[in-house]
Amino acid sequence: MQALPTAAPVGGLGMSTDPTAGEPHMALSREAKRKEDAARAQSVLRGVRLPPEEVYSLAERLKGTNEFGYARKLFGRLRSTGDDNGLSNSVAKVGQRHALCTYKDPDLPASDRFRRALEILDEVDRAELTDLETQESLGLRGAIYKRIWQVEGQQADLERSLGNYLRGYAMGPASDQGYTGINAAFVLDQLAREEAAQAKETGVAWTVAAERCNKAEEIRRRLIALLPDLPGSDEKKWAWLRDEWWFYATIAEAHFGLGDYASGIATLRTYNAATGLSHQDAPLERLEPWVFESTITQLTGVARVQAELADLLSGHPEWHPRSPVPGSEIRARSLAALRGYLGQLAPGVDRAISGKVGLALSGGGFRASLFHVGVLAYLAERDALRRVETLSCVSGGAILGAYYYLEVKRLLESKKDADITRQDYVDLVQRLESEFLAGVQTNIRCRAFGSVVANLRTFFQPGYTTTRRLGDLYEAELYSRVNDGRGGQPRYLSDLFATPLGEVPDFKPKYDNWRRSAKVPILVLNATTLNTGHNWQFTASWMGEPPSSIDSEIEGNYRLRRMYYGEAPGPKDQWRHWYSRLWAPPDYQRFRLGDAVAASSCVPGLFDPLVLPDLYDGKTVRLVDGGVYDNQGIASLLEQDCSVMIVSDASGQMDTRDHPSGGRLDVSLRSFSVSMARVRQSQYWELAARRRSGLLKGLVFLHLKKDLDADPVDWRECQDPHDASDQARAPALRGVLTRYGIQKCVQRLLAGIRTDLDSFTEVEACALMTSGYRQARFEFGRQLSAFPDQDAKEEAWSFLRIEPGLSPGPGFDDLVRQLRVGANAGFKVWRLSARLKGVAVAFLLAGLGGLWWLWAAYGSVSLLSVRGLVLLLLGLAASVTAPRVLQLMRFRKSFRDVGLRSVLGAALAAGFKIHLIAFDPIFLRLGRVSRLLKKCQQAKA
């Protein structure tokens, strides 16, 4: 029997009892062998016949390298064709492998893969199974229910997991080498932690938690007494265990669960001696990286749960069978032991402690981008940016996130992990702060329409839209500022793979980040598919709809599968001719970064969808702003299994209106805002529930309306008026200041600033950055105390120079006026400049004077003469019939396309060029921070 070597990441440390499984293939590197096996699997799935034993071995190898999708299909092929009957392994074994790979396949929606895996086990269990096969099925069910609990957070699933593990353990720990037993002990501790937390709140039901802890200790002591002697008890049957990693890892976990960390580490070192490795080296040369990582993560998780239990049960030591040990001592001793064992790989312990960190940057135009800069500044100051492993970006967050990723990629590829310091990240964000704002102040919205050539292309060239024009501008005005040697050259998603200096060429963040101090973040740019209503993701590896966005229980829409760029379809014959190059679809093998960011930020109604023709047979994919599906980018963090989430939300939250419009369009837009607010609220509730249940180790949720008062409104002639002092809120939430030190009136104005892609002044930008920075500084101290450097010194960020103007006093009125004007999409400079207001008044008076002169000169002329009526009717008739005539003469289209579109394109370009040249510089000059501070100083003098 083989007892689930891949089940370790979800429960305990499983073991492989098959001596031939996962044999090393030294002729090729692991990555080369994995690619070769994947190619062979593809050929089998396309119809190439291989002997069943060879297909089974291929599936086993793919399973061992985390290629669960291919392995699942191969095991399924063996079962569906009946080839599993002729294997040396039993039919039940193949079915169990099929179930295991099904529930672990990330390309299947979570609800589908768990349900289908349990159904496969039901099919397996209908046959007559040996005791060993039954025990393995029970272990698999326990692992599946444990994983369901991790996804859905329902304690009942954790209870189901425990029930299956205990039944397997009762069948004898020797037969599965302690797999079900060690997992049962860990789940018992997790349930005890939940029940102890409830007992501490209620003061009752301590007995249940005590019984679970006692049972876990009993299991671990039995495994320690039994397992070490197992290889010598029957040389023929168990000798292979001497060089089986999972066997030693299971014993080590039992020691860790009892607080004997030295014995646990000594057990792991015994594996080195048994396999001929150096006593001090981590056995990565013999193990797949994910196998070793899951072991370290599990051992750290055992110690963490034990420490949390100790903290919860302090003051109630009488029920615990051992003398109580403080949680702080458990953490210190266990982590010291693991760090000593790992040596240079010690960052893997830090990751296991703090969890996998994900950072979400919301949509909201450049307003969101600038707020996010302040958040990044504090993360750099706290030295937390090096821990971010997933960067999920939407719309305005995608614009900034792509820029930040390019800077991080440059840093990681220029310095070794050990040489990267906190100051490197601080310097990076300081460059980002200045250069990104300079790019914003080029006014990308106006430039999108301020070029005659670009306007004509959008009018005449099929496939070239304002959205693609945005993509070109993002690269030209923003990303070209990154000093990575690319300059103004196009940047492609497939080129975004970061190969950190000193790492192996086939470095993969998903599997190799755990052992690095400075993580390589996975960049996810989120858009929305109009075809299906699902989330569409762009990464350095693929683009398409992730399975996590689909739940077959509540919808039946198809999913547009992820397409890896290396497997993208080539151009069809009709796109090969020279005269059709201007009309060709995008090159999906070399997809541009700017286009991906533009798709994530193309607001419906303002910009055209990004069109992806001929990517899927019979379908034209149209993508719009990622905020339509998930404006916070949370879904992608959940999909990447992030256990610590930092959400920077600068989206356009729904405001209040005293007199909402009753117009049909206004009602529709307002109703859409209500729906989006409800989605945002539901997402936050889900994250908060995950945090309470322990599925999330940390959650920081920042947003522009944080700490703003939301008081009830009394009805007219109310005899029981509301008293703000009676609000059931902390006293610190009342008053004129937010808890992070920003005036509430200022913060409310910042929340109302436009979500646009035009120029932002220094005052607007610095105020937004300061708000994000101060809020992050306050929330981190409360929510993520496990992160190091809590008292990191405050850096001299350039944006903080605006702080004197953010408080009432000299210059404050000018700040408020600028932020209030900043809420408008147009005519901002006219509202700020007294001179321009005078010019506008002069033009208005001149216009009125002209109208008065026309009235005085021609007021006596009758427009209702018979001749006038005849001309009017002829004109109306011509306007109705002329288009039909022109259409018949085939002139209408030419006139419209060549004439009107050319005139319109030139007129648009001229108007926006005038604004860029004449008015935008005035607007930026009026919004300089130095000008605001000068007013403050003059008033004080």
Side-chain angles (χ1 to χ4, degrees):
M1 172 188 176
Q2 186 169 337
L4 316 177
T6 53
V10 299
L13 298 171
M15 302 183 303
S16 171
T17 64
D18 186 347
T20 63
E23 290 181 353
H25 299 266
M26 304 305 294
L28 296 172
S29 69
R30 284 179 180 147
E31 180 63 13
K33 185 59 183 175
R34 184 195 65 79
K35 290 180 179 179
E36 180 185 292
D37 286 340
R40 292 188 68 196
Q42 289 177 345
S43 65
V44 171
L45 295 173
R46 290 174 184 145
V48 175
R49 294 287 298 175
L50 290 179
E53 288 285 356
E54 200 169 326
V55 174
Y56 182 87
S57 297
L58 176 61
E60 280 287 316
R61 291 199 301 273
L62 288 165
K63 175 176 66 66
T65 56
N66 273 6
E67 290 287 351
F68 295 111
Y70 287 130
R72 171 182 64 83
K73 293 173 183 177
L74 292 178
F75 286 127
R77 173 71 64 88
L78 287 171
R79 298 182 68 219
S80 63
T81 58
D83 288 345
D84 51 344
N85 286 302
L87 293 171
S88 57
N89 291 286
S90 68
V91 172
K93 171 78 72 176
V94 180
Q96 289 165 343
R97 287 292 181 272
H98 189 201
L100 185 148
C101 294
T102 297
Y103 97 82
K104 284 181 170 291
D105 186 358
D107 288 331
L108 295 176
S111 59
D112 284 352
R113 66 175 184 257
F114 298 145
R115 175 184 54 79
R116 179 56 186 148
L118 292 172
E119 289 175 352
I120 293 172
L121 287 179
D122 288 340
E123 296 167 5
V124 170
D125 293 349
R126 290 192 189 104
E128 286 194 22
L129 304 182
T130 65
D131 289 344
L132 294 180
E133 291 167 342
T134 300
Q135 192 176 32
E136 180 158 354
S137 285
L138 290 170
L140 265 173
R141 289 182 185 276
I144 294 170
Y145 281 117
K146 174 85 181 324
R147 183 61 180 147
I148 294 174
W149 171 75
Q150 290 178 326
V151 172
E152 299 181 1
Q154 299 298 315
Q155 187 168 321
D157 291 313
L158 199 56
E159 295 279 7
R160 295 185 183 98
S161 174
L162 176 62
N164 282 282
Y165 281 139
L166 287 177
R167 287 175 59 196
Y169 170 70
M171 298 180 72
S175 55
D176 70 350
Q177 302 83 55
Y179 167 72
T180 51
I182 200 65
N183 278 282
F186 185 62
V187 174
L188 281 166
D189 279 349
Q190 289 177 307
L191 286 168
R193 178 188 58 189
E194 300 300 314
E195 285 150 358
Q198 297 171 14
K200 192 165 187 176
E201 292 180 359
T202 61
V204 296
W206 290 99
T207 306
V208 178
E211 289 175 349
R212 294 199 191 274
C213 284
N214 292 339
K215 180 65 174 177
E217 179 160 340
E218 173 194 318
I219 292 173
R220 289 173 175 134
R221 290 192 181 281
R222 185 181 177 192
L223 294 180
I224 289 174
L226 173 69
L227 294 182
D229 297 330
L230 194 60
S233 63
D234 187 338
E235 284 290 326
K236 185 176 180 180
K237 183 177 181 181
W238 301 118
W240 63 272
L241 288 176
R242 290 194 176 94
D243 61 356
E244 174 53 52
W245 171 256
W246 293 119
F247 178 68
Y248 296 92
T250 299
I251 300 173
E253 183 183 345
H255 283 297
F256 261 66
L258 296 175
D260 189 357
Y261 310 116
S263 296
I265 297 301
T267 301
L268 295 179
R269 294 198 189 282
T270 305
Y271 173 81
N272 288 28
T275 55
L277 298 175
S278 168
H279 180 69
Q280 295 296 328
D281 292 342
L284 285 179
E285 60 189 79
R286 288 185 58 90
L287 303 175
E288 288 289 338
W290 73 267
V291 172
F292 189 69
E293 177 206 355
S294 67
T295 302
I296 301 304
T297 300
Q298 184 66 18
L299 294 178
T300 308
V302 169
R304 178 175 57 84
V305 173
Q306 291 278 330
E308 292 171 355
L309 269 171
D311 291 337
L312 288 167
L313 301 173
S314 60
H316 293 270
E318 62 277 2
W319 62 264
H320 202 282
R322 290 178 282 128
S323 58
V325 178
S328 58
E329 182 177 340
I330 294 175
R331 293 184 183 93
R333 288 174 52 206
S334 62
L335 299 181
L338 284 169
R339 286 195 175 100
Y341 171 65
L342 289 173
Q344 293 182 344
L345 301 179
V349 180
D350 298 327
R351 193 273 190 96
I353 298 168
S354 60
K356 184 177 180 180
V357 180
L359 173 61
L361 303 179
S362 78
F366 283 151
R367 179 184 77 180
S369 302
L370 296 168
F371 180 84
H372 299 329
V373 171
V375 175
L376 291 177
Y378 181 69
L379 292 178
E381 193 175 278
R382 182 71 175 272
D383 202 20
L385 279 179
R386 68 169 65 243
R387 293 169 175 261
V388 174
E389 297 192 50
T390 301
L391 184 62
S392 176
C393 309
V394 182
S395 195
I399 301 171
L400 176 75
Y403 193 113
Y404 168 75
Y405 179 83
L406 292 173
E407 287 280 5
V408 170
K409 180 176 183 289
R410 173 179 169 238
L411 170 64
L412 298 178
E413 293 181 340
S414 61
K415 297 186 75 172
K416 291 184 177 181
D417 187 33
D419 299 331
I420 296 175
T421 66
R422 168 185 175 274
Q423 190 60 42
D424 288 318
Y425 285 97
V426 171
D427 294 343
L428 185 156
V429 178
Q430 285 177 339
R431 289 195 305 272
L432 177 71
E433 172 194 357
S434 60
E435 292 298 326
F436 186 80
L437 178 57
V440 167
Q441 291 182 339
T442 62
N443 201 329
I444 286 180
R445 185 189 67 180
C446 282
R447 289 183 182 276
F449 302 101
S451 167
V452 175
V453 174
N455 288 346
L456 293 178
R457 286 186 68 187
T458 60
F459 285 144
F460 294 113
Q461 181 179 334
Y464 190 84
T465 61
T466 53
T467 299
R468 291 201 182 276
R469 170 66 174 156
L470 276 181
D472 293 342
L473 288 170
Y474 290 150
E475 294 195 28
E477 304 297 335
L478 290 173
Y479 306 143
S480 63
R481 298 173 183 271
V482 179
N483 188 20
D484 58 359
R486 302 284 298 178
Q489 300 177 38
R491 287 169 167 80
Y492 300 100
L493 292 176
S494 56
D495 295 335
L496 295 185
F497 276 110
T499 303
L501 187 64
E503 288 286 358
V504 295
D506 56 357
F507 178 90
K508 289 187 175 181
K510 185 174 182 179
Y511 302 122
D512 298 321
N513 255 340
W514 70 276
R515 54 183 170 78
R516 287 182 56 88
S517 174
K519 314 297 185 187
V520 179
I522 295 175
L523 176 67
V524 183
L525 304 174
N526 296 278
T528 304
T529 315
L530 290 181
N531 305 62
T532 62
H534 297 154
N535 180 28
W536 179 282
Q537 297 176 339
F538 294 97
T539 73
S541 303
W542 41 258
M543 62 179 177
E545 297 178 352
S548 60
S549 64
I550 294 106
D551 188 342
S552 59
E553 294 294 326
I554 59 175
E555 69 156 289
N557 292 347
Y558 58 75
R559 176 171 69 93
L560 300 172
R561 291 182 57 197
R562 292 169 170 170
M563 181 215 67
Y564 290 83
Y565 304 119
E567 302 173 2
K572 284 191 174 182
D573 291 338
Q574 63 261 36
W575 306 117
R576 297 182 186 275
H577 302 295
W578 65 269
Y579 54 79
S580 62
R581 288 176 186 171
L582 290 178
W583 290 266
D587 181 354
Y588 297 122
Q589 296 180 355
R590 301 279 287 169
F591 199 85
R592 291 185 63 169
L593 171 63
D595 287 344
V597 175
S600 180
S601 57
C602 60
V603 180
L606 297 180
F607 299 102
D608 299 309
L610 184 77
V611 182
L612 305 180
D614 202 36
L615 179 57
Y616 301 89
D617 285 336
K619 296 173 176 59
T620 300
V621 178
R622 283 186 166 83
L623 305 177
V624 295
D625 193 303
V628 175
Y629 180 86
D630 172 15
N631 205 27
Q632 285 65 48
I634 293 171
S636 295
L637 296 188
L638 291 172
E639 186 208 1
Q640 291 291 329
D641 290 326
C642 295
S643 54
V644 176
M645 294 192 185
I646 304 166
V647 182
S648 178
D649 179 15
S651 59
Q653 296 182 39
M654 184 178 176
D655 59 350
T656 57
R657 294 183 183 177
D658 293 336
H659 304 286
S661 171
R664 291 185 178 180
L665 179 59
D666 289 335
V667 169
S668 298
L669 293 175
R670 188 67 173 170
S671 299
F672 177 73
S673 296
V674 173
S675 298
M676 294 302 297
R678 179 61 178 166
V679 170
R680 178 176 179 273
Q681 185 182 59
S682 298
Q683 285 185 314
Y684 176 76
W685 284 348
E686 180 183 358
L687 293 184
R690 287 174 174 270
R691 182 70 180 93
R692 289 192 299 270
S693 67
L695 295 178
L696 288 182
K697 296 181 180 179
L699 172 63
V700 175
F701 199 99
L702 314 172
H703 62 92
L704 283 169
K705 290 191 176 182
K706 202 169 193 69
D707 283 2
L708 297 185
D709 298 327
D711 294 330
V713 177
D714 296 325
W715 62 90
R716 189 168 59 86
E717 299 180 5
C718 175
Q719 300 301 303
D720 181 22
H722 158 70
D723 183 0
S725 63
D726 291 337
Q727 278 286 88
R729 308 177 73 195
L733 293 180
R734 306 304 307 180
V736 297
L737 286 176
T738 63
R739 288 175 295 174
Y740 43 95
I742 304 292
Q743 292 281 326
K744 289 184 178 178
C745 61
V746 172
Q747 189 62 38
R748 194 172 293 279
L749 290 172
L750 292 176
I753 285 183
R754 65 198 178 281
T755 57
D756 210 335
L757 299 177
D758 63 343
S759 292
F760 276 64
T761 66
E762 281 188 347
V763 167
E764 294 171 324
C766 291
L768 285 165
M769 293 178 190
T770 300
S771 174
Y773 172 83
R774 289 299 177 200
Q775 194 173 137
R777 189 176 187 86
F778 172 75
E779 288 296 326
F780 265 68
R782 298 193 317 131
Q783 304 293 350
L784 292 181
S785 57
F787 271 63
D789 301 323
Q790 293 184 53
D791 300 323
K793 68 172 184 177
E794 184 172 303
E795 296 289 334
W797 301 104
S798 177
F799 57 77
L800 291 179
R801 70 187 190 276
I802 198 177
E803 286 196 309
L806 293 179
S807 300
F812 184 70
D813 289 343
D814 187 52
L815 171 86
V816 169
R817 184 167 67 94
Q818 290 195 51
L819 296 183
R820 186 172 287 118
V821 168
N824 299 279
F827 302 103
K828 295 182 290 295
V829 65
W830 299 86
R831 291 180 167 93
L832 286 176
S833 173
R835 292 180 181 178
L836 288 179
K837 286 180 181 177
V839 171
V841 170
F843 272 108
L844 178 62
L845 292 176
L848 292 175
L851 291 174
W852 177 260
W853 178 82
L854 288 173
W855 176 262
Y858 299 101
S860 60
V861 177
S862 175
L863 299 178
L864 297 179
S865 63
V866 174
R867 182 181 178 185
L869 287 175
V870 171
L871 291 175
L872 177 62
L873 292 175
L874 289 175
L876 290 175
S879 66
V880 173
T881 59
R884 302 294 181 186
V885 174
L886 288 174
Q887 186 176 21
L888 292 174
M889 297 174 63
R890 304 183 66 84
F891 289 145
R892 181 187 177 220
K893 187 175 186 302
S894 299
F895 177 75
R896 182 190 65 200
D897 289 349
V898 178
L900 291 180
R901 291 191 179 192
S902 298
V903 172
L904 181 59
L908 278 174
F912 283 107
K913 279 289 187 183
I914 291 173
H915 179 81
L916 283 171
I917 295 172
F919 299 112
D920 215 43
I922 298 174
F923 176 62
L924 295 177
R925 186 170 64 251
L926 292 174
R928 287 177 181 166
V929 173
S930 58
R931 180 175 175 274
L932 176 67
L933 296 180
K934 186 177 181 181
K935 285 188 176 182
C936 296
Q937 294 169 356
Q938 290 175 346
K940 288 180 180 179

